[in-house]
Amino acid sequence: DHAQIFVAAARLRDIPARYVSGYLMMNDRVDQDASHAWAEAHIEDLGWVGFDVSNGVSPDQRYVRIAIGRDARDASPVEGLRMGAADETLIVSLQVQQ
């Protein structure tokens, strides 16, 4: 995951960084089929600055932040625990629009 690699590389350079999970409003459709992730780094004199490495842009008003954490696992929008044998299915329907 590009955001996770960015966070790790920034931290190796002693730059505070965090992982952000959420959604990106796609210009060509309302129905979304996947979540999205990007990174933020704390830049002196600027504060937290977003980097969507996958798309080569800085996040703007089209990005919907759901969770922030140290890494992908920490910023997981859904997490749970299951005990015993069972099948599991997650169905998500999401629309992002203005």
Side-chain angles (χ1 to χ4, degrees):
D1 163 333
H2 294 117
Q4 185 67 46
I5 293 169
F6 180 96
V7 168
R11 289 186 184 150
L12 281 173
R13 308 267 328 210
D14 293 324
I15 299 170
R18 59 191 183 190
Y19 188 96
V20 185
S21 64
Y23 296 95
L24 168 59
M25 182 180 74
M26 306 297 285
N27 292 332
D28 61 339
R29 61 180 168 249
V30 172
D31 292 316
Q32 305 295 307
D33 56 4
S35 61
H36 192 63
W38 58 97
E40 292 181 342
H42 193 271
I43 308 299
E44 193 173 330
D45 298 326
L46 291 177
W48 289 101
V49 177
F51 297 89
D52 181 352
V53 181
S54 298
N55 292 311
V57 298
S58 187
D60 57 21
Q61 69 276 5
R62 298 174 302 139
Y63 289 73
V64 179
R65 181 181 304 174
I66 301 296
I68 299 172
R70 296 167 293 185
D71 53 31
R73 185 176 182 182
D74 203 29
S76 174
V78 178
E79 186 175 325
L81 177 66
R82 177 172 35 103
M83 296 182 66
D87 287 333
E88 181 177 295
T89 303
L90 176 65
I91 299 171
V92 177
S93 175
L94 175 74
Q95 292 186 347
V96 180
Q97 59 187 332
Q98 284 184 310

PDB file of all heavy atoms in Angstrom, residues 6 27 32 43 70 81 90 94-95:
ATOM      1  N   PHE A   6       4.840   5.301   2.309  1.00  0.00           N
ATOM      2  CA  PHE A   6       5.146   6.718   2.537  1.00  0.00           C
ATOM      3  C   PHE A   6       5.348   6.988   4.028  1.00  0.00           C
ATOM      4  O   PHE A   6       6.304   7.662   4.420  1.00  0.00           O
ATOM      5  CB  PHE A   6       4.016   7.589   1.988  1.00  0.00           C
ATOM      6  CG  PHE A   6       4.250   9.066   2.181  1.00  0.00           C
ATOM      7  CD1 PHE A   6       4.798   9.828   1.163  1.00  0.00           C
ATOM      8  CD2 PHE A   6       3.932   9.699   3.379  1.00  0.00           C
ATOM      9  CE1 PHE A   6       5.016  11.198   1.336  1.00  0.00           C
ATOM     10  CE2 PHE A   6       4.144  11.051   3.561  1.00  0.00           C
ATOM     11  CZ  PHE A   6       4.694  11.802   2.542  1.00  0.00           C
ATOM     12  N   ASN A  27     -14.877  11.634  -9.735  1.00  0.00           N
ATOM     13  CA  ASN A  27     -15.614  12.577 -10.564  1.00  0.00           C
ATOM     14  C   ASN A  27     -16.556  11.906 -11.557  1.00  0.00           C
ATOM     15  O   ASN A  27     -17.552  12.489 -11.971  1.00  0.00           O
ATOM     16  CB  ASN A  27     -14.650  13.487 -11.318  1.00  0.00           C
ATOM     17  CG  ASN A  27     -13.909  14.421 -10.377  1.00  0.00           C
ATOM     18  OD1 ASN A  27     -14.407  14.774  -9.320  1.00  0.00           O
ATOM     19  ND2 ASN A  27     -12.705  14.789 -10.765  1.00  0.00           N
ATOM     20  N   GLN A  32     -19.474   4.202  -5.061  1.00  0.00           N
ATOM     21  CA  GLN A  32     -18.070   3.861  -4.859  1.00  0.00           C
ATOM     22  C   GLN A  32     -17.969   2.370  -4.530  1.00  0.00           C
ATOM     23  O   GLN A  32     -18.831   1.821  -3.859  1.00  0.00           O
ATOM     24  CB  GLN A  32     -17.493   4.672  -3.697  1.00  0.00           C
ATOM     25  CG  GLN A  32     -17.665   6.166  -3.845  1.00  0.00           C
ATOM     26  CD  GLN A  32     -16.900   6.733  -5.014  1.00  0.00           C
ATOM     27  OE1 GLN A  32     -15.716   6.520  -5.133  1.00  0.00           O
ATOM     28  NE2 GLN A  32     -17.586   7.456  -5.876  1.00  0.00           N
ATOM     29  N   ILE A  43       4.773  18.813   8.600  1.00  0.00           N
ATOM     30  CA  ILE A  43       5.823  19.646   8.018  1.00  0.00           C
ATOM     31  C   ILE A  43       5.945  20.919   8.857  1.00  0.00           C
ATOM     32  O   ILE A  43       4.955  21.613   9.080  1.00  0.00           O
ATOM     33  CB  ILE A  43       5.495  20.021   6.551  1.00  0.00           C
ATOM     34  CG1 ILE A  43       5.157  18.767   5.733  1.00  0.00           C
ATOM     35  CG2 ILE A  43       6.622  20.818   5.927  1.00  0.00           C
ATOM     36  CD1 ILE A  43       6.262  17.752   5.641  1.00  0.00           C
ATOM     37  N   ARG A  70      -1.452   5.174  13.207  1.00  0.00           N
ATOM     38  CA  ARG A  70      -0.017   5.055  12.955  1.00  0.00           C
ATOM     39  C   ARG A  70       0.282   4.273  11.692  1.00  0.00           C
ATOM     40  O   ARG A  70       1.309   4.463  11.053  1.00  0.00           O
ATOM     41  CB  ARG A  70       0.663   4.373  14.140  1.00  0.00           C
ATOM     42  CG  ARG A  70       0.588   5.182  15.421  1.00  0.00           C
ATOM     43  CD  ARG A  70       0.978   4.346  16.589  1.00  0.00           C
ATOM     44  NE  ARG A  70      -0.068   3.311  16.734  1.00  0.00           N
ATOM     45  CZ  ARG A  70      -0.129   2.434  17.712  1.00  0.00           C
ATOM     46  NH1 ARG A  70       0.799   2.410  18.619  1.00  0.00           N
ATOM     47  NH2 ARG A  70      -1.106   1.557  17.775  1.00  0.00           N
ATOM     48  N   LEU A  81     -13.813  -9.090  16.070  1.00  0.00           N
ATOM     49  CA  LEU A  81     -13.274 -10.340  16.580  1.00  0.00           C
ATOM     50  C   LEU A  81     -14.357 -11.393  16.450  1.00  0.00           C
ATOM     51  O   LEU A  81     -15.504 -11.150  16.830  1.00  0.00           O
ATOM     52  CB  LEU A  81     -12.861 -10.165  18.041  1.00  0.00           C
ATOM     53  CG  LEU A  81     -12.343 -11.387  18.762  1.00  0.00           C
ATOM     54  CD1 LEU A  81     -11.022 -11.842  18.150  1.00  0.00           C
ATOM     55  CD2 LEU A  81     -12.157 -11.071  20.224  1.00  0.00           C
ATOM     56  N   LEU A  90     -19.025  -9.264   4.173  1.00  0.00           N
ATOM     57  CA  LEU A  90     -19.254  -7.839   4.385  1.00  0.00           C
ATOM     58  C   LEU A  90     -19.712  -7.241   3.069  1.00  0.00           C
ATOM     59  O   LEU A  90     -19.031  -7.360   2.053  1.00  0.00           O
ATOM     60  CB  LEU A  90     -17.972  -7.147   4.856  1.00  0.00           C
ATOM     61  CG  LEU A  90     -18.033  -5.631   5.023  1.00  0.00           C
ATOM     62  CD1 LEU A  90     -19.010  -5.254   6.133  1.00  0.00           C
ATOM     63  CD2 LEU A  90     -16.656  -5.081   5.330  1.00  0.00           C
ATOM     64  N   LEU A  94     -21.901   2.480  -0.864  1.00  0.00           N
ATOM     65  CA  LEU A  94     -21.505   3.823  -0.486  1.00  0.00           C
ATOM     66  C   LEU A  94     -21.672   4.764  -1.649  1.00  0.00           C
ATOM     67  O   LEU A  94     -21.352   4.437  -2.785  1.00  0.00           O
ATOM     68  CB  LEU A  94     -20.037   3.814  -0.040  1.00  0.00           C
ATOM     69  CG  LEU A  94     -19.427   5.174   0.268  1.00  0.00           C
ATOM     70  CD1 LEU A  94     -19.969   5.687   1.586  1.00  0.00           C
ATOM     71  CD2 LEU A  94     -17.939   5.088   0.275  1.00  0.00           C
ATOM     72  N   GLN A  95     -22.190   5.942  -1.361  1.00  0.00           N
ATOM     73  CA  GLN A  95     -22.259   7.007  -2.351  1.00  0.00           C
ATOM     74  C   GLN A  95     -21.542   8.213  -1.786  1.00  0.00           C
ATOM     75  O   GLN A  95     -21.782   8.593  -0.644  1.00  0.00           O
ATOM     76  CB  GLN A  95     -23.703   7.365  -2.682  1.00  0.00           C
ATOM     77  CG  GLN A  95     -24.445   6.291  -3.412  1.00  0.00           C
ATOM     78  CD  GLN A  95     -25.819   6.759  -3.844  1.00  0.00           C
ATOM     79  OE1 GLN A  95     -26.319   7.795  -3.415  1.00  0.00           O
ATOM     80  NE2 GLN A  95     -26.440   5.982  -4.714  1.00  0.00           N
TER      81      GLN A  95
END
